[in-house]
Amino acid sequence: MNHASRDDVLAWDRTHVWRPYTPIDRHEQGPPPPVIRRAEHVWLHTDDGRTLIDGVGSWWVSNLGHGHPRVRAAVHEQLDRMAHVAMAGLAHEEGARLAKRLADITPDGLTRAFYSDNGSTAVEVAVRAAFQFWRQNGAPERRLFLSFDGAYHGDTIGTVSVGGIPTFHDTFGPLLFETVRAPAPPEQPDFEDAAFAALEQALEPRASEVAAVVVEPLVQGAAGMRMHSPAWLRRVRALCDAHGVLLIADEVFVGFGRTGTLFACEQAGITPDFLCLSKGLTAGFMPFAATMTTERIYDGFRGGPERTFFYGHSYCGNPLGCAAAHAVLDAFEQDDVLGNVAARGAQLDAWLARVATRDHVAHVRRTGLVAAVQFAEGDRSNYLARTGWNVYEEALRRGAYLRPLGNVTYFVPALTIRETELAGLLEIADASIEAALSPPR
Ligand SMILES: *Cc1c(COP(=O)(O)O)cnc(C)c1O
């Protein structure tokens, strides 16, 4: 391909691209974005010869770094043989083998994979299947979903209905279905009993009408990397069981090693009724998703054509996505990715402990390779709060991509990031926080 000039790219971008989650005046009048020509491991190479370290895994997907040789080779090989065929009435080895592999490695009892293309659809599938399951299995009154304040499950209307971030979700209120809402999962073990009592209080009056509880296990990502304990997750599972309610675990963000175990649910020793997987499944190589469920749910769709799950996207089971996922799983089996998560986590802890002593830093936290620094200014729930964005701009100048969530600067690097690379990223973060917090001259 002949490369266009940087000026042309930026002019087309400004005139014709509608950027996600970006205020239009920032898009039109803010500093021009870096133009990335090439991405390799944790490095983003710009067209003007700069190199940025990717501190957020390109929106939480790049778990093995960019251009991982194993995944690249697998997708190339697949592309040469078969890019796509429909999954309706046709089978292929890539999809069949991946379903078996996922059944083998996900928590016990999850035996069926329903494929789609992104995180939102992975959750949408679970919500729709849970609803239909009850409708045709003797409990049609179970039509409500319980979700948590701060929840983010995607951007379709169904997943926004179970979302709990006012800045993102309030506009669409009139379009959303009714949910039961519980306070956000407790960030401190001291609050667990109170938070659990509040959850019980939300659920119990309507428990017989609730189809499923939807939860982000261990980390509520978009809420600002809010973290809770495996013990709390275990209590949520037990509460669902006590009331015959299904549990949907949205591991779109935390699945595939992000929290230090292959799946976050493992740390609680639970099996959800649905496990939603996407980002880490293909680690930034292909848009792809799988919703895992149990034989009990699958059996609930037997018994005649009118009981079919009438749901499916064009690219369901896309072989390129399957090929990428196989290569990602190979990497986990062969490269000790989780060992690196543990080592880099310890490295992050030492840095976080220092940052925590700074003025204007309200809280620091970490689970696996998710770390967050929360600033004291304003309200964390405000995605548009400034401090994180000031750190972001300072970091871009210094060579790091650290897109924030409001007042939270967070780190979601590739799980394969090396010690020296993480040290470099944290050095840039240090200087950027210092610059962002010092009074304007
Ligand atoms: C990113 C995310 C989604 C949505 O995934 P998309 O691929 O952006 O649609 C859903 N749930 C969680 C927890 C996520 O982090």
Side-chain angles (χ1 to χ4, degrees), residues 28-101:
E28 292 182 345
Q29 285 136 42
V35 177
I36 308 301
R37 288 279 197 216
R38 207 158 51 79
E40 188 183 15
H41 186 46
V42 294
W43 305 107
L44 309 177
H45 301 286
T46 70
D47 69 338
D48 54 357
R50 300 183 64 220
T51 301
L52 300 173
I53 186 164
D54 187 348
V56 299
S58 283
W59 252 5
W60 323 350
V61 297
S62 187
N63 275 9
L64 299 178
H66 300 276
H68 192 285
R70 196 195 289 283
V71 190
R72 231 169 47 199
V75 174
H76 273 295
E77 192 277 330
Q78 183 63 46
L79 183 59
D80 289 341
R81 211 151 36 76
M82 174 166 73
H84 185 69
V85 293
M87 259 224 157
L90 303 175
H92 47 71
E93 176 179 344
E94 295 80 359
R97 188 194 291 276
L98 182 63
K100 174 174 182 344
R101 270 183 108 172

Side-chain angles (χ1 to χ4, degrees), residues 60 118-121 123 152-155 216 221-222 250-253 278-279:
W60 323 350
N118 60 70
S120 305
T121 57
V123 177
Y152 179 79
H153 297 293
D155 279 343
E216 290 160 87
D250 175 358
E251 292 214 21
V252 168
F253 171 42
S278 180
K279 293 179 170 119

Side-chain angles (χ1 to χ4, degrees), residues 303-346:
E306 71 287 357
R307 292 165 64 87
T308 302
F309 189 41
F310 287 111
Y311 188 102
H313 293 281
S314 307
Y315 288 101
C316 175
N318 175 250
L320 293 168
C322 293
H326 280 296
V328 167
L329 294 181
D330 291 345
F332 275 95
E333 281 172 14
Q334 292 163 34
D335 300 346
D336 193 26
V337 177
L338 295 179
N340 194 56
V341 172
R344 299 291 74 77

